[in-house]
Amino acid sequence: MGRCPSCGAWETLVEELRAAAATGRALDLVVVDGKRTDVVQLGEVDTSGTARIETGIAELDRVLGGGLVPGSVVLLAGEPGVGKSTLALQVAAELKSNAPVLYVTGEESLEQLRLRADRLPKVPAELLVMAETRVEAMQAPWLEYSPAVVVIDSIQTLRTDRAESAPGSVTQVRECAAALSNAAKSQRTALLLVGHVTKDGAVAGPRVLEHLVDVVLGFEGDRGHAFRLLRASKNRFGSTQEVGVFTMTERGLEGVPNPSELFLAERRAGAAGSCIAPIVEGTRPMLVEIQALVASAGYGTARRTTIGFDDGRLALLLAALDRKSDVDVLSSDVYVNVAGGVRISEPGSDLAVALALASSQLNKPLPADVAACGEIGLGGEIRRVARIDLRVREAIRLGFRRVLIPAGVELPAAIEKEADLIRVDDVAAAVSWLRASSFRE
Ligand code: TYD
Ligand code: MG
């Protein structure tokens, strides 16, 4: 069949070979290999063996929940060029374990791997490396060296004799991952699988792996910017709330304990169309600069272009501004950019975006010591968002003395004392505050 009868897309069906036909005898499975798996009571399960191995990379350990769990499988997914191989190699370099790391590359030659390692600090000369794409070939070294961690770069290049389709196909990827994951569990090795995804997540590979692995890490970032964000979308051993922040430098990835400083480094205070938004990723607050440009439209429909911000949300904010305040933006071209290559995925920056838009349209810069947080609803009302206390504290830490927040939010007295909190209940109020404000350094 060329066309999927379910979703209607063309050429998306993938051949899968059927395993040996079932015999049809009831409960045959129970006696297949004569081995019995014991049933035990939950309380008797021993967890003392699950000590974690620290990777030595603080931002990664934070996301993993303290380190790699022996016998677990971690998928590190991201677009090509984002830095997956670099991170994997740095794990190999920093790992806090006496047992060795085995780094299997199916993408690069050993020479290329060596050249990359030479750029990074501290990759040990003893690191075990292997250029191989056949899963079966990993059996011997795995048993011989008993590595603490095996890195597979990447899962899409592997193939196994158990499946006949081409490397990278769904069947191959799944069979290889299943075989490796069994080996990891039986040898108590932590397995780090590198997987490529494209911008729209189109490559099926990593998607089919998500239920097979224990932890799914997504590595995000724009190749044009140095900033990288590591998120767990699934974690059987920890929270999915933490994010890791890195910058890509000449000497590999460096953790960024205080991302706000990084994002605000190039800010030009006093420019119209710029507003600072304290956002929260997981449990980490960070300040980002929202830039907006409202320009008179040429012929035809007005353009809306966003980088790092959701198009749908922008449309909503423009409509709310137009109907609920006296700023006219609907007929103009509108550009919104989140500086530094950050992608905002939460509504807490709505108010800052609206203020940046109004500031650009009115050609009136916001005061340099102002930040704003709050969600904007369809009625133009400013709504509460999670962790306003964290956001305001971060703003204060970076020297912002005035913060616009949703009306009705109560914050601890200590915060109230340190910052001038401006409570606004709708966009109209925020815009009239902007009109009345005067720029001060
Ligand atoms: P890479 O880890 O190969 O990405 P992936 O495995 O996800 O495809 O690295 C991506 C980019 O990082 C590459 O274009 C070169 C750059 N890079 C640095 O800027 N500094 C470094 O120290 C290294 C090793 C790479
Ligand atoms: Mg790579």
Side-chain angles (χ1 to χ4, degrees), residues 273 292 294 321 327 329 353-364 431 434:
V294 180
L321 266 177
V327 182
V329 277
V353 175
L355 280 169
L357 289 165
S359 158
S360 174
Q361 171 71 333
L362 304 173
N363 199 18
K364 182 165 176 36
V431 170
L434 171 65

Side-chain angles (χ1 to χ4, degrees), residues 209-226:
L209 292 178
E210 282 179 4
H211 69 278
L212 228 160
V213 304
D214 300 302
V215 181
V216 179
L217 301 180
F219 207 20
E220 305 167 4
D222 189 293
R223 240 184 295 180
H225 286 101

Side-chain angles (χ1 to χ4, degrees), residues 267-271 364-369 402 436-441:
R267 176 175 177 235
R268 271 175 51 220
K364 182 165 176 36
L366 270 102
D369 63 346
R402 289 185 279 174
S437 69
S438 56
F439 181 79
R440 69 175 188 229
E441 279 294 334

Side-chain angles (χ1 to χ4, degrees), residues 105-408:
T105 172
E107 304 216 318
E108 297 166 309
S109 67
L110 291 181
E111 290 76 19
Q112 285 171 319
L113 190 62
R114 171 78 201 268
L115 286 175
R116 182 201 301 270
D118 286 345
R119 292 177 66 176
L120 302 174
K122 292 203 282 190
V123 180
E126 301 79 35
L127 176 68
L128 300 172
V129 293
M130 181 180 181
E132 182 56 66
T133 55
R134 270 187 66 238
V135 167
E136 283 74 14
M138 291 163 205
Q139 162 110 0
W142 202 319
L143 286 175
E144 184 182 345
Y145 296 103
S146 305
V149 175
V150 170
V151 176
I152 305 289
D153 188 3
S154 68
I155 186 71
Q156 273 110 338
T157 56
L158 293 196
R159 62 197 167 84
T160 168
D161 299 343
R162 298 205 309 205
E164 276 169 22
S165 42
S169 67
V170 176
T171 317
Q172 278 289 2
V173 165
R174 198 170 47 206
E175 285 297 316
C176 291
L180 289 164
S181 136
N182 281 337
K185 297 244 167 350
S186 69
Q187 300 299 305
R188 311 230 7 98
T189 309
L191 180 65
L192 183 61
L193 300 176
V194 171
H196 296 294
V197 286
T198 53
K199 269 217 158 48
D200 47 357
V203 176
R207 286 268 170 277
V208 303
L209 292 178
E210 282 179 4
H211 69 278
L212 228 160
V213 304
D214 300 302
V215 181
V216 179
L217 301 180
F219 207 20
E220 305 167 4
D222 189 293
R223 240 184 295 180
H225 286 101
F227 159 72
R228 302 282 183 273
L229 210 60
L230 187 68
R231 276 182 227 268
S233 56
K234 163 177 178 179
N235 192 349
R236 286 189 180 145
F237 309 108
S239 115
T240 51
Q241 288 290 301
E242 292 297 342
V243 293
V245 184
F246 297 91
T247 53
M248 180 63 93
T249 71
E250 271 303 292
R251 294 173 58 72
L253 290 157
E254 266 172 30
V256 182
N258 299 312
S260 301
E261 277 95 339
L262 175 75
F263 299 143
L264 299 187
E266 283 162 26
R267 176 175 177 235
R268 271 175 51 220
S274 155
C275 184
I276 302 300
I279 59 170
V280 171
E281 285 288 353
T283 55
R284 284 177 98 169
M286 28 186 128
L287 298 193
V288 294
E289 180 190 359
I290 311 279
Q291 300 178 321
L293 185 62
V294 180
S296 58
Y299 294 105
T301 16
R303 287 180 62 122
R304 265 92 242 255
T305 305
T306 58
I307 300 172
F309 193 75
D310 184 63
D311 293 329
R313 283 212 87 76
L314 174 63
L316 188 154
L317 293 179
L318 291 173
L321 266 177
D322 187 70
R323 289 292 303 276
K324 307 291 173 185
S325 81
D326 55 353
V327 182
D328 172 29
V329 277
L330 271 196
S331 54
S332 311
D333 284 348
V334 171
Y335 307 87
V336 169
N337 176 38
V338 184
V342 189
R343 221 171 292 159
I344 293 186
S345 54
E346 56 132 356
S349 57
D350 284 0
L351 181 55
V353 175
L355 280 169
L357 289 165
S359 158
S360 174
Q361 171 71 333
L362 304 173
N363 199 18
K364 182 165 176 36
L366 270 102
D369 63 346
V370 164
C373 60
E375 179 181 352
I376 294 181
L378 280 183
E381 78 279 14
I382 315 288
R383 300 167 154 263
R384 292 162 191 247
V385 286
R387 306 309 312 264
I388 292 196
D389 54 334
L390 268 185
R391 298 173 200 250
V392 175
R393 279 212 176 91
E394 180 74 354
I396 294 172
R397 191 176 74 78
L398 280 128
F400 293 86
R401 287 287 158 260
R402 289 185 279 174
V403 187
L404 278 84
I405 58 172

